[in-house]
Amino acid sequence: MNHDSPDLLTRPSGLRMKLPSSRAGARLGRELAAAWLRDRGVHREQAADALQIVAELAANAALHGRVPGRKFLLALQLDDADRVLRIEATDTRAEAVPVPRVPPPDSESGRGLLIVTALADRWGLVEGPAPRKTVWAELDLAGPRPVPPPGEVREPV
């Protein structure tokens, strides 16, 4: 198997993927998350917020949590009963703890965790087991999961 390809594990309520620690890996994670959310019937507005969070957490894991030769883990878990979507990005740089900071106005980067803070209902960090850390965010999804009538196609996200 090509070491740059993702390792996917999908379940009805969850998606886990090991991705290359690169910009391309982060982008692939976002694209796969978009398809997974669409298949679960997540509304467009909520999916847009979720995908922005996926993009920020995946980019941070791929760039700031990068260890040469190691992948990062991106996971999405949808709790249908509580309508909570949990997004996790795990990397192998436990010492690189993310801290939201306000960058200088002319900076082209450094706003990722500020975006996560603005969009997520909750977010945090879980350390370990060494050398890993997981940054997670949760979104409370409004209303019950939409179920299309038999024979009808869901509206795309």
Side-chain angles (χ1 to χ4, degrees), residues 13-42:
S13 63
L15 171 68
R16 294 172 56 90
M17 52 191 129
K18 287 184 183 177
L19 298 159
S21 291
S22 65
R23 291 179 194 271
R27 184 176 57 249
L28 178 58
R30 185 182 185 285
E31 291 169 5
L32 293 169
W36 186 83
L37 291 168
R38 186 174 43 252
D39 288 348
R40 302 293 155 309
V42 175

Short mmCIF file of all heavy atoms in Angstrom, two decimals, residues 13-42:
data_model
loop_
_atom_site.label_atom_id
_atom_site.label_comp_id
_atom_site.label_asym_id
_atom_site.label_seq_id
_atom_site.Cartn_x
_atom_site.Cartn_y
_atom_site.Cartn_z
N SER A 13 -22.16 5.32 12.65
CA SER A 13 -22.12 6.51 13.49
C SER A 13 -20.75 7.16 13.55
O SER A 13 -20.59 8.16 14.24
CB SER A 13 -22.56 6.15 14.92
OG SER A 13 -21.64 5.22 15.46
N GLY A 14 -19.75 6.60 12.87
CA GLY A 14 -18.43 7.17 12.98
C GLY A 14 -17.55 6.95 11.77
O GLY A 14 -17.77 6.05 10.96
N LEU A 15 -16.54 7.79 11.66
CA LEU A 15 -15.54 7.72 10.59
C LEU A 15 -14.19 7.97 11.23
O LEU A 15 -14.02 8.93 11.99
CB LEU A 15 -15.83 8.78 9.53
CG LEU A 15 -14.79 8.99 8.44
CD1 LEU A 15 -14.70 7.77 7.54
CD2 LEU A 15 -15.12 10.23 7.62
N ARG A 16 -13.23 7.09 10.97
CA ARG A 16 -11.86 7.26 11.46
C ARG A 16 -10.93 7.07 10.26
O ARG A 16 -11.09 6.13 9.51
CB ARG A 16 -11.53 6.23 12.53
CG ARG A 16 -12.33 6.42 13.81
CD ARG A 16 -12.14 5.28 14.78
NE ARG A 16 -10.76 5.03 15.13
CZ ARG A 16 -10.11 5.60 16.15
NH1 ARG A 16 -10.73 6.44 16.92
NH2 ARG A 16 -8.84 5.30 16.40
N MET A 17 -9.97 7.98 10.14
CA MET A 17 -9.03 7.88 9.03
C MET A 17 -7.64 8.33 9.45
O MET A 17 -7.49 9.35 10.11
CB MET A 17 -9.53 8.69 7.84
CG MET A 17 -9.90 10.12 8.13
SD MET A 17 -10.76 10.90 6.77
CE MET A 17 -12.16 11.56 7.64
N LYS A 18 -6.65 7.53 9.09
CA LYS A 18 -5.26 7.92 9.26
C LYS A 18 -4.83 8.57 7.96
O LYS A 18 -4.97 7.99 6.89
CB LYS A 18 -4.39 6.70 9.55
CG LYS A 18 -4.58 6.15 10.93
CD LYS A 18 -3.62 5.00 11.17
CE LYS A 18 -3.84 4.39 12.52
NZ LYS A 18 -2.96 3.22 12.73
N LEU A 19 -4.31 9.78 8.08
CA LEU A 19 -3.97 10.58 6.91
C LEU A 19 -2.52 11.04 6.95
O LEU A 19 -1.96 11.23 8.04
CB LEU A 19 -4.90 11.80 6.85
CG LEU A 19 -6.38 11.48 6.71
CD1 LEU A 19 -7.23 12.65 7.16
CD2 LEU A 19 -6.69 11.14 5.26
N PRO A 20 -1.93 11.25 5.78
CA PRO A 20 -0.57 11.77 5.73
C PRO A 20 -0.49 13.14 6.42
O PRO A 20 -1.40 13.96 6.28
CB PRO A 20 -0.28 11.92 4.24
CG PRO A 20 -1.28 11.06 3.56
CD PRO A 20 -2.48 11.01 4.45
N SER A 21 0.56 13.39 7.15
CA SER A 21 0.76 14.68 7.83
C SER A 21 1.26 15.70 6.82
O SER A 21 2.45 16.01 6.75
CB SER A 21 1.75 14.52 8.98
OG SER A 21 1.16 13.77 10.00
N SER A 22 0.33 16.17 6.01
CA SER A 22 0.64 17.14 4.96
C SER A 22 -0.61 17.96 4.66
O SER A 22 -1.71 17.61 5.09
CB SER A 22 1.08 16.42 3.69
OG SER A 22 0.01 15.64 3.18
N ARG A 23 -0.43 19.03 3.92
CA ARG A 23 -1.59 19.83 3.51
C ARG A 23 -2.56 18.99 2.69
O ARG A 23 -3.77 19.08 2.83
CB ARG A 23 -1.14 21.05 2.70
CG ARG A 23 -0.39 22.07 3.51
CD ARG A 23 0.05 23.24 2.64
NE ARG A 23 1.02 24.06 3.30
CZ ARG A 23 0.73 25.08 4.09
NH1 ARG A 23 -0.52 25.40 4.29
NH2 ARG A 23 1.69 25.78 4.66
N ALA A 24 -2.01 18.13 1.83
CA ALA A 24 -2.86 17.26 1.00
C ALA A 24 -3.63 16.28 1.89
O ALA A 24 -4.81 16.01 1.63
CB ALA A 24 -2.01 16.50 -0.01
N GLY A 25 -3.01 15.76 2.93
CA GLY A 25 -3.70 14.86 3.86
C GLY A 25 -4.83 15.57 4.58
O GLY A 25 -5.92 15.02 4.74
N ALA A 26 -4.59 16.80 5.02
CA ALA A 26 -5.63 17.59 5.69
C ALA A 26 -6.79 17.86 4.73
O ALA A 26 -7.96 17.75 5.11
CB ALA A 26 -5.05 18.89 6.23
N ARG A 27 -6.48 18.20 3.49
CA ARG A 27 -7.52 18.47 2.49
C ARG A 27 -8.32 17.21 2.20
O ARG A 27 -9.55 17.24 2.11
CB ARG A 27 -6.89 19.02 1.21
CG ARG A 27 -7.92 19.42 0.16
CD ARG A 27 -7.29 20.07 -1.07
NE ARG A 27 -6.31 19.21 -1.70
CZ ARG A 27 -4.99 19.44 -1.71
NH1 ARG A 27 -4.50 20.51 -1.13
NH2 ARG A 27 -4.16 18.61 -2.31
N LEU A 28 -7.65 16.07 2.08
CA LEU A 28 -8.34 14.80 1.84
C LEU A 28 -9.27 14.47 3.01
O LEU A 28 -10.40 14.02 2.80
CB LEU A 28 -7.32 13.68 1.63
CG LEU A 28 -7.90 12.29 1.42
CD1 LEU A 28 -8.84 12.25 0.21
CD2 LEU A 28 -6.77 11.28 1.27
N GLY A 29 -8.83 14.72 4.23
CA GLY A 29 -9.67 14.49 5.39
C GLY A 29 -10.95 15.30 5.33
O GLY A 29 -12.04 14.82 5.62
N ARG A 30 -10.83 16.56 4.91
CA ARG A 30 -12.00 17.43 4.80
C ARG A 30 -12.95 16.90 3.72
O ARG A 30 -14.16 16.87 3.90
CB ARG A 30 -11.58 18.86 4.48
CG ARG A 30 -12.76 19.83 4.47
CD ARG A 30 -12.31 21.24 4.10
NE ARG A 30 -13.37 22.19 4.21
CZ ARG A 30 -14.36 22.32 3.33
NH1 ARG A 30 -14.43 21.51 2.29
NH2 ARG A 30 -15.31 23.21 3.50
N GLU A 31 -12.41 16.48 2.59
CA GLU A 31 -13.25 15.96 1.50
C GLU A 31 -13.98 14.68 1.91
O GLU A 31 -15.17 14.52 1.62
CB GLU A 31 -12.40 15.72 0.26
CG GLU A 31 -11.89 17.00 -0.37
CD GLU A 31 -10.84 16.77 -1.44
OE1 GLU A 31 -10.55 15.60 -1.77
OE2 GLU A 31 -10.29 17.77 -1.94
N LEU A 32 -13.28 13.78 2.60
CA LEU A 32 -13.92 12.55 3.05
C LEU A 32 -14.97 12.83 4.13
O LEU A 32 -16.03 12.22 4.15
CB LEU A 32 -12.87 11.56 3.56
CG LEU A 32 -11.92 11.02 2.49
CD1 LEU A 32 -10.76 10.28 3.12
CD2 LEU A 32 -12.66 10.15 1.50
N ALA A 33 -14.68 13.80 5.00
CA ALA A 33 -15.64 14.20 6.03
C ALA A 33 -16.89 14.79 5.38
O ALA A 33 -18.01 14.53 5.83
CB ALA A 33 -15.01 15.19 7.00
N ALA A 34 -16.72 15.57 4.32
CA ALA A 34 -17.87 16.17 3.63
C ALA A 34 -18.79 15.08 3.07
O ALA A 34 -20.02 15.16 3.22
CB ALA A 34 -17.40 17.10 2.51
N ALA A 35 -18.20 14.08 2.45
CA ALA A 35 -19.01 12.98 1.90
C ALA A 35 -19.71 12.22 3.03
O ALA A 35 -20.89 11.87 2.91
CB ALA A 35 -18.13 12.04 1.09
N TRP A 36 -19.02 11.98 4.13
CA TRP A 36 -19.60 11.24 5.25
C TRP A 36 -20.76 12.02 5.87
O TRP A 36 -21.81 11.46 6.16
CB TRP A 36 -18.50 10.95 6.28
CG TRP A 36 -18.95 10.08 7.40
CD1 TRP A 36 -19.03 8.72 7.41
CD2 TRP A 36 -19.37 10.51 8.70
NE1 TRP A 36 -19.48 8.28 8.63
CE2 TRP A 36 -19.69 9.35 9.44
CE3 TRP A 36 -19.49 11.76 9.30
CZ2 TRP A 36 -20.13 9.41 10.76
CZ3 TRP A 36 -19.94 11.82 10.61
CH2 TRP A 36 -20.25 10.66 11.32
N LEU A 37 -20.58 13.32 6.07
CA LEU A 37 -21.65 14.15 6.63
C LEU A 37 -22.86 14.20 5.70
O LEU A 37 -24.01 14.15 6.15
CB LEU A 37 -21.14 15.57 6.92
CG LEU A 37 -20.14 15.69 8.07
CD1 LEU A 37 -19.49 17.06 8.06
CD2 LEU A 37 -20.81 15.41 9.40
N ARG A 38 -22.59 14.30 4.40
CA ARG A 38 -23.68 14.31 3.43
C ARG A 38 -24.47 13.00 3.49
O ARG A 38 -25.70 13.00 3.50
CB ARG A 38 -23.11 14.54 2.03
CG ARG A 38 -24.16 14.72 0.95
CD ARG A 38 -23.56 15.08 -0.40
NE ARG A 38 -22.37 14.33 -0.76
CZ ARG A 38 -21.12 14.84 -0.78
NH1 ARG A 38 -20.89 16.09 -0.45
NH2 ARG A 38 -20.09 14.08 -1.14
N ASP A 39 -23.77 11.88 3.59
CA ASP A 39 -24.42 10.57 3.69
C ASP A 39 -25.24 10.43 4.97
O ASP A 39 -26.17 9.63 5.02
CB ASP A 39 -23.39 9.45 3.63
CG ASP A 39 -22.79 9.28 2.24
OD1 ASP A 39 -23.33 9.87 1.27
OD2 ASP A 39 -21.78 8.56 2.13
N ARG A 40 -24.90 11.17 6.01
CA ARG A 40 -25.63 11.11 7.28
C ARG A 40 -26.78 12.11 7.32
O ARG A 40 -27.49 12.20 8.30
CB ARG A 40 -24.70 11.40 8.47
CG ARG A 40 -23.51 10.48 8.62
CD ARG A 40 -23.87 9.10 8.95
NE ARG A 40 -23.03 7.99 8.65
CZ ARG A 40 -22.45 7.62 7.53
NH1 ARG A 40 -22.46 8.36 6.49
NH2 ARG A 40 -21.82 6.47 7.42
N GLY A 41 -26.95 12.91 6.28
CA GLY A 41 -28.06 13.85 6.22
C GLY A 41 -27.89 15.08 7.09
O GLY A 41 -28.87 15.72 7.47
N VAL A 42 -26.64 15.45 7.40
CA VAL A 42 -26.41 16.65 8.20
C VAL A 42 -26.73 17.87 7.34
O VAL A 42 -26.31 17.96 6.19
CB VAL A 42 -24.94 16.69 8.71
CG1 VAL A 42 -24.65 17.99 9.45
CG2 VAL A 42 -24.67 15.49 9.61
#
